[in-house]
Amino acid sequence: MGKIWRVSGPLVIGEDMKGSQVYEIVEIGSEGLVGEIIGLEEDRAIIQAHEDTLELKVGETIRGTGTILTAELGPGIVGSIYDGLQKSLTVLMEKDSFIKRGAKVFALPRDKKWQFSPKVKVGDAVSEGDIIGTVPETNLLEHRIMVPVGIKGVIKEIREGEYTVEEPVTWLEDNGEVKELTMMRRWPVRKPRPYKQRFAPSRLLITGMRIIDYMFPLALGGKAAMPGGFGTGKTVALQQLARWAQTQLNIYVGCGERGNEMADVLYSFRKLKDPATGRLLQEKEVFIANTSNMPVVAREASIFVGITLAEYFRDMGYDVLLVADSTSRWAEAMREIGGRLEEIPGEEGFPAYLGSRLSSFYERSGLVECLGSPERRGSVTVAGAVSPPGADFSEPVTQNTLRIIDALYSLDVSLANKRHFPAINWLTSYSLYVDDVKGWWSEISPEWDVTRATALKLLQQEAELEEIVRLVGPEALPEGDKLVLLVTRMIREDFLMQSAYHEIDTYCMPAKAQLMLKTIIKFYELAQPMLDSGVSVAEIRSSPIVPRISRMKDIPNDTFEQRIKELWSEMEASLVAQRGGVS
Amino acid sequence: MTSSSLYVKETKAIKRTKGSLLVAESIPDIKFGEIVDVWLSSGEVKRGQAIDISKEVTVVQVFGGVSEVDLIGSKIRCKGETLKLAVSEDILGRIFNGIGEPIDGGPSVVPEDYLDVNGLPINPAGREPPAEFIETGISAIDGLNALVRGQKLPIFSGSGLPHNRIVAQIIRQAAVKRKEEQFAIVFAAIGVSYDDAAFFMKNLEQTGARERTVAFINTASDPVIERISTPRLALTAGEYLAWKQGMHVLVILADMTNYCEALRELSAMREEIPSRRGYPGYMYTDLATMYERAGRIFGKGGSVTIMPILTMPDDDITHPIPDLTGYITEGQIVLSRELERKGIYPPIDVFLSLSRMMKEGIGAGKTREDHNNVFMQLYAAYAEGCNLREISTIIGAEALGERDKIYLTVADRFEREFISQGEFEKRKVEETLDTGWELFSALPEEDLKLIGEELIKKYLPKYSEKT
Ligand SMILES: Nc1ncnc2c1ncn2[C@@H]1O[C@H](COP(=O)(O)OP(=O)(O)OP(=O)(O)O)[C@@H](O)[C@H]1O
Ligand SMILES: [Mg+2]
C-alpha cells in the first residue's frame, strides 16, 4: 500500500511503494482507479492511470494488486464488447449509458453455465495445450478447453455437465499433488502465448475484397498494414475484413477511433450473416472498443488485450483475424505517456521504442503448430490501420510499420476523393504472399497469376499513357493505346472498384473475381483484332456489351459461373457482329 | 460556474511564475483539476486550475489574461471546486461568457444540477447509430454529403469564405424544421470577431430561434485561455438539453482554429514537447473528447449534432488543425476558393467534402430510393469532367472528342445548376435529386453505369416525362 505523491494527467507517481513490480496493476484513490506501474525508482512508482485522474489528491492511497495486466480467457468471450482493459461494455450498459470511472466488471460472465464435454478420460496423462474438453460457445464456435501452459498431470476426475467458468471441471494429479482446473484462464497480455512451431503462411485468407484476394493477397498468419489519410477508407476496409474474412474468429479492435463507427459495426454484425455458414456474424466476433474519448492509456492496453485473445483462440487450432483501427492512435497513447515521463523523445515526439513496440504487436501474428494434442494448426492474421498526419507516409508510425509488415494496402486520398473505393492504390501496394498462395489459387484457377500479371501490367501502362494524355489529349493517342485506356478503365471501375454497401458486391468469392477479370481480359483480346479491321475504339466503347460487363458485379456469387458463360458468348457474338459491320 | 464545498484554503507561497502558470508550494488536499481563485496583488481575482499536483509543488494555470508581473505576490484560494456548469431548462435563450457566467444582464441560472464540463464518454455499446436525415435545403449537402442527427460534421473554410452565411442558412432551413419536435441550438463563439458573433445572434433572432438557443461567447478580445473552456461549456449545455430534456440539439462551434491556437499556446507555456508545427501531441485526443460528445443513445429521445467551423491556415487541408479534425469527425464540408472566385454560392468542394454517416440516412423511406445511385453517378461524371477540364487547359477543349466535350459541359452545369443556389433558396431533397437527373439526361445513357436500369426508366426525364 502506497500513497499518491504526484498527479499530472494520466501520470501518477506513488511513494512508499516498495515491493511493487513493474507492470503491476494498482488501484488508485477511494474509487480504485486502475493504473499500471511502468517504472520504479527506489520507493516511488511511476504509474500510468487507465482511467481519468480528475479530482485525485496527493496522499490518497494506492493499493497494489500483486497481479499484472491479464486477460480473462474462457467461454463467454465470443460476441462480447469489451473496453481496452477487457471490461464488458454490455454489462456496464446495464448500469448507465455513460462510462463512469472506477467501475469494476468481469470480462467473462460468472453466473452463466456452459455445457462442458470431456475429451479425455480418467487416467490419461495430459500436459500444456492438450484439449481436455469442449464447450459449444456459439453456433459457430466450439470453445476448446486446454490444459494451462506449464501444467501437466494425470486426470483424476473430469466432469461432464453444465458449469460456470469458476467451477472446477477437472482434477489433475502431478507428483502426488492434485490440481483443480476450471474453464477460465488468465494470461498476461504483454507476453506472447507459446506454441510448438511456426510455419510460413501458405493459405489465402479469403476476404471477399477483389483488390486484396486477387491482386495483393493476404495469407492466413500474415501481417498487413493499411495506411491512408482521413476518409480514405481504412475503417470501412477493416470492417469489411472483419465481416467477411473466412476465418473462425475475428477480433475488431477500435483503438482511439469513433464511437458512432463502433455503434455501426455492432449494429450491422447483429444483422449480417456469414456467407459460408449463414449464421449471424456476431457469433464469430469479438469487439474491443476503446474510442478516442475513452482514457488514452487504456488504448495502449487494448491492442495487447486483443492480440492475447487472438492467440488464445489460435491455440485451439483456429484461424483468427485481428484488425486494429488505428495503430496510430495506439502509438500516440505511448507518445503521451512518454511525454509526461519526460523521456527523451525520438522522431516527432514518439518514444524511441516505438518500432519495437509496434513489432511486439505485429510479430504475434503467424501460422503455428499449437501446443498439446491433438495435433493442430492455428493462425493469427493481423491487419492494422495507420493514420499518417497529412496523409504523409514518411512519418514515424508508417515508416516503422512498413519495416515489419508483409502486405501493404496503401490508401490514396485522390482515389478516395473521386469516390474510387476501396481506395487501395494498385501501383504502390504490395503483398509478399503472392508466391505463398499461388498453390492455393491454382486450385481455383491455374491462370490466376497470369491474369493478375496481365492486369497489373496494363494498369502500369495506363499510368504512363495518362502522362502522355495530359500533354497531347486523349484524341491524339493511337487507337491501340486508346483501347488500353478503355480496358484499364474497365479493370478499375468494373473490377477493382467494389462498394462495401452494395448488397451483392460487398462480398466477392475468389472464383467470381477470377471470372470477372478474365472477362475483361477476354474483351481486350477480342477487341484487338477489331482495330485491325478498322473498327474504332469509340465504336467498341459504345458496344452494348460494355455496360453488360460493368454490371457483372450485380450477379450473385452462386449463379455467377452460369451467367458469365452466357455473357461470354454474347460478347463474342456482339463484337464479331460489329467487326462484320465494318468490313 | 462551479460547485463548491465549504472549506477554504489559502497559500501565498508562490515559488515561481511562468507565463500564466503559477508554481506554488504544495497545497494540501487540493484536487487534480481543481478550480481555484487567484488573488492578484492588484486586488483583482482570477480563476485558475490545478494542472499538476505533488507533495512538492502545485502548478496552477491562471485563466483570464494575466502576465507574469501580475502574478507576483498573488495568493491562491481553494474551495474544492472543479469546473462545472449550472444547468436547468432556463439556460435556453441565455448568453454566457467563456467560463459560464451570464453576460446578457439576466439573473444567474437557478441550477437544477451542476455538470462537469468534460462530460463522460458515451458507452460505445449504448450508442444508437445515427440514421435520421436532416434536410438542410442545400443540394451540395443533402444530395452528396447528407447530414444526420447525432453526427459531427465540420465546415473547413478559409479566411474570407462564406462559412458563416452557410451555417446561418443551415440553421434557418434545417434546425428549426420540425416545430412539433423539441430542438435547441447551442452556439459557441470561440475567439471570433465581435461582428461574427453578432451576425449569428442576429440571424438566430430573425429565424425566431433565439429563445431556443444557448450561447457562449468568447470574442477575439476576451481572454485566450477561456477558449479552452468555451466549447466544453457549450457541449455540456447541449448534452443536458439532449439527454435530460430529450431535445435534438445542434451545437455550432465557431471557430475551432482559435481553440487549437489557444491549446498550442497553453502547451507551450507548460513547456510540453510539441508535435507537428508546435501543436501538442494530445491535440487529437483533446479534440476527440469534445467531438465524441455528439451522438444518439438507446433509450434517450434527444440527440447531439455538432457542426464545428474552422478556418484552414493558408487554405491547407493538411495543416494539423483540419487534418486532426478530419481524423475525428464523421466527414467534412470543405469550401473552395476557386468556386468562390467563379461566383458560386455555396462554394462547396464536393471532392474534398464527405459525409460518413450519409448512407444510413438516405434511401427509400428516408429521402428517395435513387439517392445513393444519383450520388455515385454524379461524382463519377463530375470527376470525369474535372479531369478533362484539366487536360483541356493544356490542349484546348476543341482537341477533345465528342463524348469528352459532353462531360466538360456537364461538369460546368453541375457547378452552376446543382452546387450553386440562392442563400435563401431551400431545395427539397427531391428537387436536388431531380436536378441530378437533369444533368444525366445530357450524358450517353450507357454511361449511367452506377444506376440500375429500373431507376433509369423511372427517373430519367426522357422516360419519366412520358408517363
Ligand atoms: N469500400 C467502400 N465502399 C464504399 N464506400 C467506401 C468504401 N470505403 C470507404 N468508403 C467511403 O469513404 C468514407 C470514409 O471511409 P472510412 O471511414 O473508412 O475512412 P478512414 O480511412 O477510416 O478515415 P479516418 O482515418 O478518418 O478514420 C466512408 O464513410 C464511405 O463513405
Ligand atoms: Mg477510420
Side-chain angles (χ1 to χ4, degrees):
Chain A
M1 191 100 114
K3 288 200 197 87
I4 297 180
W5 185 82
R6 177 183 172 198
V7 184
S8 167
L11 179 77
V12 174
I13 296 181
E15 59 179 355
D16 298 338
M17 297 290 292
K18 272 220 170 64
S20 310
Q21 288 180 21
V22 174
Y23 290 135
E24 181 175 341
I25 294 293
V26 294
E27 291 178 354
I28 309 164
S30 53
E31 288 172 87
L33 309 182
V34 177
E36 193 177 7
I37 297 180
I38 53 173
L40 288 169
E41 279 166 17
E42 294 174 27
D43 80 328
R44 284 200 188 152
I46 300 160
I47 299 162
Q48 53 178 18
H50 288 289
E51 302 186 83
D52 192 357
T53 55
L54 205 68
E55 301 197 14
L56 284 181
K57 292 182 199 169
V58 170
E60 284 195 78
T61 55
I62 300 175
R63 209 174 57 80
T65 61
T67 60
I68 57 177
L69 187 60
T70 54
E72 279 188 3
L73 306 172
I77 294 174
V78 182
S80 291
I81 308 162
Y82 294 128
D83 76 354
L85 299 175
Q86 212 197 357
K87 280 186 203 162
S88 167
L89 289 171
T90 338
V91 175
L92 282 177
M93 250 314 281
E94 290 161 12
K95 298 182 193 144
D96 199 333
S97 320
F98 296 90
I99 300 179
K100 299 220 168 90
R101 61 186 191 176
K104 307 263 179 293
V105 289
F106 293 121
L108 301 185
R110 294 299 196 265
D111 49 355
K112 184 161 171 143
K113 288 194 184 273
W114 302 94
Q115 177 63 40
F116 176 77
S117 313
K119 291 288 163 207
V120 289
K121 309 181 300 296
V122 172
D124 287 354
V126 294
S127 63
E128 57 180 11
D130 287 355
I131 294 170
I132 53 172
T134 60
V135 168
E137 184 169 353
T138 69
N139 286 302
L140 282 182
L141 192 120
E142 173 190 81
H143 199 111
R144 298 172 179 160
I145 309 293
M146 297 167 285
V147 176
V149 174
I151 302 274
K152 65 175 170 46
V154 175
I155 305 274
K156 262 196 78 189
E157 187 181 347
I158 185 160
R159 290 186 184 166
E160 169 148 22
E162 297 209 325
Y163 297 97
T164 69
V165 291
E166 288 179 315
E167 289 168 337
V169 289
T170 305
W171 286 259
L172 289 184
E173 186 169 342
D174 184 25
N175 276 331
E177 200 190 320
V178 177
K179 291 189 192 100
E180 270 182 11
L181 294 184
T182 65
M183 288 188 269
M184 180 166 68
R185 313 279 177 259
R186 281 180 210 281
W187 189 263
V189 299
R190 295 177 199 283
K191 187 174 157 192
R193 285 175 59 87
Y195 48 81
K196 244 184 235 161
Q197 200 190 340
R198 210 176 156 125
F199 302 97
S202 61
R203 273 181 305 140
L204 180 74
L205 173 88
I206 302 172
T207 70
M209 264 165 91
R210 286 186 290 273
I211 188 154
I212 295 186
D213 292 352
Y214 204 94
M215 292 303 195
F216 309 107
L218 183 53
L220 287 165
K223 42 186 191 285
M226 218 176 255
F230 65 80
T232 51
K234 298 179 290 296
T235 302
V236 173
L238 291 184
Q239 287 179 356
Q240 286 292 88
L241 292 189
R243 276 189 192 115
W244 309 126
Q246 293 305 295
T247 43
Q248 279 95 28
L249 186 83
N250 297 329
I251 299 180
Y252 186 99
V253 187
C255 169
E257 290 289 319
R258 303 174 181 82
N260 278 336
E261 268 169 14
M262 266 333 284
D264 194 42
V265 174
L266 296 174
Y267 180 73
S268 73
F269 279 69
R270 283 183 206 128
K271 290 186 308 184
L272 292 173
K273 291 188 175 133
D274 178 45
T277 56
R279 305 289 319 187
L280 282 183
L281 282 174
Q282 209 181 6
E283 298 186 43
K284 54 173 278 196
E285 205 79 24
V286 184
F287 305 94
I288 296 178
N290 208 87
T291 53
S292 56
N293 54 339
M294 287 160 76
V296 173
V297 179
R299 248 188 238 171
E300 202 259 350
S302 66
I303 294 267
F304 288 115
V305 168
I307 196 83
T308 303
L309 298 183
E311 285 176 337
Y312 173 64
F313 284 94
R314 171 203 71 189
D315 293 343
M316 295 179 201
Y318 292 129
D319 292 318
V320 183
L321 169 70
L322 177 137
V323 301
D325 186 13
S326 157
T327 60
S328 294
R329 306 302 163 219
W330 181 57
E332 284 165 15
M334 290 183 238
R335 175 168 69 186
E336 179 152 357
I337 286 298
R340 301 264 179 185
L341 288 176
E342 283 148 31
E343 287 171 354
I344 297 167
E347 269 178 290
E348 294 195 16
F350 285 104
Y353 48 80
L354 173 69
S356 61
R357 201 65 75 86
L358 278 167
S359 62
S360 72
F361 159 58
Y362 281 105
E363 288 302 333
R364 288 171 76 173
S365 64
L367 170 67
V368 305
E369 185 174 337
C370 311
L371 285 182
S373 72
E375 258 181 41
R376 58 199 188 269
R377 283 188 182 192
S379 68
V380 172
T381 311
V382 169
V386 186
S387 318
D392 174 2
F393 289 9
S394 67
E395 59 90 37
V397 182
T398 315
Q399 286 305 313
N400 278 293
T401 305
L402 288 183
R403 274 177 222 131
I404 305 164
I405 48 97
D406 289 327
L408 171 71
Y409 305 112
S410 82
L411 297 179
D412 202 303
V413 176
S414 67
L415 286 174
N417 287 349
K418 283 184 249 165
R419 304 304 193 257
H420 173 110
F421 289 117
I424 296 175
N425 183 317
W426 46 90
L427 299 175
T428 54
S429 300
Y430 62 80
S431 162
L432 301 184
Y433 302 113
V434 171
D435 289 333
D436 300 324
V437 301
K438 209 175 195 158
W440 186 94
W441 258 109
S442 67
E443 284 173 28
I444 300 277
S445 158
E447 296 159 273
W448 167 68
D449 52 338
V450 181
T451 320
R452 176 180 179 273
T454 310
L456 285 175
K457 202 169 129 224
L458 281 167
L459 289 168
Q460 180 64 47
Q461 210 177 334
E462 175 186 51
E464 289 155 19
L465 288 173
E466 300 260 286
E467 292 291 311
I468 302 172
V469 167
R470 235 163 265 146
L471 297 175
V472 301
E475 293 305 310
L477 289 184
E479 288 292 291
D481 287 347
K482 281 190 200 165
L483 181 62
V484 170
L485 290 184
L486 174 62
V487 171
T488 53
R489 171 193 284 261
M490 290 164 83
I491 297 177
R492 280 187 288 113
E493 295 180 357
D494 306 337
F495 181 75
L496 296 178
M497 259 174 93
Q498 186 178 4
S499 171
Y501 309 131
H502 188 288
E503 199 193 332
I504 291 162
D505 205 35
T506 184
Y507 174 78
C508 179
M509 291 203 325
K512 176 178 168 185
Q514 161 66 24
L515 287 173
M516 282 175 79
L517 188 58
K518 190 76 208 299
T519 306
I520 298 170
I521 302 295
K522 207 172 162 72
F523 171 87
Y524 183 44
E525 287 162 3
L526 288 168
Q528 273 166 322
M530 294 172 68
L531 297 182
D532 303 332
S533 30
V535 185
S536 72
V537 171
E539 286 165 310
I540 295 175
R541 175 161 58 192
S542 59
S543 153
I545 204 70
V546 175
R548 295 283 316 262
I549 290 178
S550 66
R551 293 186 195 281
M552 288 190 291
K553 291 173 181 173
D554 302 342
I555 308 173
N557 284 298
D558 45 359
T559 54
F560 194 77
E561 219 174 313
Q562 152 79 27
R563 299 268 301 274
I564 207 76
K565 295 271 154 60
E566 297 163 18
L567 185 67
W568 284 8
S569 42
E570 256 174 75
M571 177 158 78
E572 273 166 49
S574 124
L575 293 181
V576 167
Q578 219 175 4
R579 190 169 157 194
V582 170
S583 50
Chain B
M1 262 170 242
T2 50
S3 72
S4 60
S5 41
L6 288 171
Y7 66 102
V8 174
K9 269 182 289 355
E10 228 178 69
T11 183
K12 257 184 142 165
I14 308 295
K15 292 179 138 179
R16 268 180 292 132
T17 60
K18 182 162 194 330
S20 59
L21 294 187
L22 267 184
V23 182
E25 249 168 38
S26 179
I27 304 172
D29 257 356
I30 193 166
K31 295 174 190 163
F32 176 68
E34 181 168 335
I35 298 298
V36 299
D37 285 342
V38 178
W39 294 63
L40 306 185
S41 46
S42 63
E44 219 184 324
V45 184
K46 297 275 181 187
R47 284 284 177 77
Q49 183 174 27
I51 58 163
D52 195 335
I53 58 170
S54 75
K55 242 183 171 169
E56 279 168 7
V57 293
T58 299
V59 183
V60 169
Q61 170 81 60
V62 185
F63 299 155
V66 285
S67 70
E68 265 173 60
V69 187
D70 299 331
L71 294 175
I72 298 170
S74 57
K75 63 186 179 196
I76 299 172
R77 289 186 95 186
C78 312
K79 290 174 286 181
E81 303 173 338
T82 52
L83 194 54
K84 296 213 161 115
L85 177 69
V87 288
S88 82
E89 237 184 317
D90 298 339
I91 58 175
L92 281 172
R94 302 295 307 272
I95 307 176
F96 303 91
N97 68 8
I99 47 174
E101 295 160 346
I103 50 169
D104 52 2
S108 50
V109 173
V110 181
E112 174 194 312
D113 202 355
Y114 287 101
L115 299 177
D116 179 354
V117 301
N118 294 304
L120 283 172
I122 303 174
N123 185 329
R127 280 183 185 267
E128 188 172 357
E132 279 173 274
F133 176 69
I134 300 178
E135 191 173 72
T136 67
I138 298 175
S139 292
I141 297 178
D142 293 351
L144 305 174
N145 296 290
L147 172 68
V148 298
R149 276 189 180 152
Q151 183 173 13
K152 39 190 179 290
L153 188 66
I155 297 190
F156 287 9
S157 186
S159 47
L161 293 178
H163 45 267
N164 289 342
R165 285 159 58 202
I166 296 171
V167 173
Q169 186 171 7
I170 293 173
I171 294 178
R172 214 163 37 235
Q173 301 184 166
V176 205
K177 192 183 162 201
R178 291 194 228 159
K179 289 271 188 239
E180 72 275 17
E181 274 184 288
Q182 292 252 63
F183 75 91
I185 294 165
V186 178
F187 171 59
I190 308 157
V192 301
S193 71
Y194 177 78
D195 290 348
D196 280 351
F199 169 85
F200 271 105
M201 295 312 290
K202 194 167 135 244
N203 178 66
L204 288 163
E205 198 93 49
Q206 286 164 348
T207 325
R210 184 64 193 80
E211 73 278 11
R212 311 262 349 140
T213 302
V214 192
F216 295 85
I217 311 276
N218 166 279
T219 63
S221 56
D222 290 328
V224 172
I225 195 76
E226 290 177 14
R227 287 173 202 160
I228 304 295
S229 51
T230 310
R232 292 184 165 81
L233 291 166
L235 289 162
T236 306
E239 283 178 335
Y240 166 77
L241 295 172
W243 313 135
K244 291 270 159 52
Q245 302 294 336
M247 296 180 193
H248 294 292
V249 183
L250 175 64
V251 182
I252 312 265
L253 306 171
D255 172 328
M256 284 302 283
T257 299
N258 297 330
Y259 171 85
C260 296
E261 297 301 354
L263 195 69
R264 173 166 72 170
E265 218 178 296
L266 192 66
S267 169
M269 241 157 4
R270 295 177 180 177
E271 292 181 346
E272 292 163 343
I273 303 159
S275 175
R276 282 174 75 223
R277 301 207 211 172
Y279 294 91
Y282 51 79
M283 192 155 89
Y284 171 87
T285 303
D286 185 272
L287 290 172
T289 49
M290 290 194 278
Y291 294 151
E292 280 295 322
R293 294 167 78 171
R296 298 201 300 173
I297 298 177
F298 285 115
K300 295 198 195 280
S303 63
V304 175
T305 308
I306 305 182
M307 189 166 262
I309 301 172
L310 59 87
T311 40
M312 301 183 279
D314 298 324
D315 289 351
D316 176 9
I317 198 167
T318 67
H319 182 282
I321 297 174
D323 188 55
L324 290 178
T325 305
Y327 271 122
I328 297 163
T329 52
E330 282 130 5
Q332 64 280 335
I333 304 291
V334 184
L335 305 191
S336 144
R337 208 166 286 282
E338 195 189 323
L339 288 178
E340 158 86 356
R341 280 200 202 105
K342 282 190 190 169
I344 287 170
Y345 174 91
I348 294 176
D349 182 326
V350 299
F351 292 124
L352 297 180
S353 300
L354 166 72
S355 166
R356 302 178 197 226
M357 305 261 95
M358 172 161 172
K359 72 170 187 349
E360 297 302 337
I362 63 166
K366 291 178 173 157
T367 55
R368 207 168 76 183
E369 53 179 341
D370 56 328
H371 196 154
N372 194 42
N373 300 81
V374 169
F375 150 79
M376 289 196 301
Q377 192 71 62
L378 275 175
Y379 262 104
Y382 184 48
E384 172 123 37
C386 288
N387 183 34
L388 289 161
R389 190 190 277 163
E390 210 175 289
I391 293 171
S392 71
T393 54
I394 300 165
I395 60 159
E398 331 65 69
L400 291 177
E402 282 316 305
R403 182 181 167 280
D404 291 350
K405 281 183 189 148
I406 295 177
Y407 275 90
L408 211 53
T409 322
V410 167
D412 288 336
R413 283 186 55 199
F414 174 78
E415 290 169 4
R416 278 183 283 107
E417 296 168 27
F418 189 93
I419 297 186
S420 173
Q421 71 182 79
E423 195 172 338
F424 290 84
E425 178 188 357
K426 179 175 175 181
R427 285 192 200 151
K428 283 200 149 50
V429 67
E430 292 81 9
E431 290 171 61
T432 291
L433 295 174
D434 290 343
T435 311
W437 285 101
E438 293 292 331
L439 296 172
F440 296 155
S441 300
L443 297 175
E445 195 180 319
E446 68 269 17
D447 281 10
L448 303 180
K449 294 201 285 189
L450 299 169
I451 310 183
E453 276 153 31
E454 269 170 50
L455 292 175
I456 293 180
K457 290 280 177 303
K458 187 161 168 191
Y459 292 104
L460 196 64
K462 91 173 181 201
Y463 301 112
S464 66
E465 271 155 21
K466 274 185 212 145
T467 55

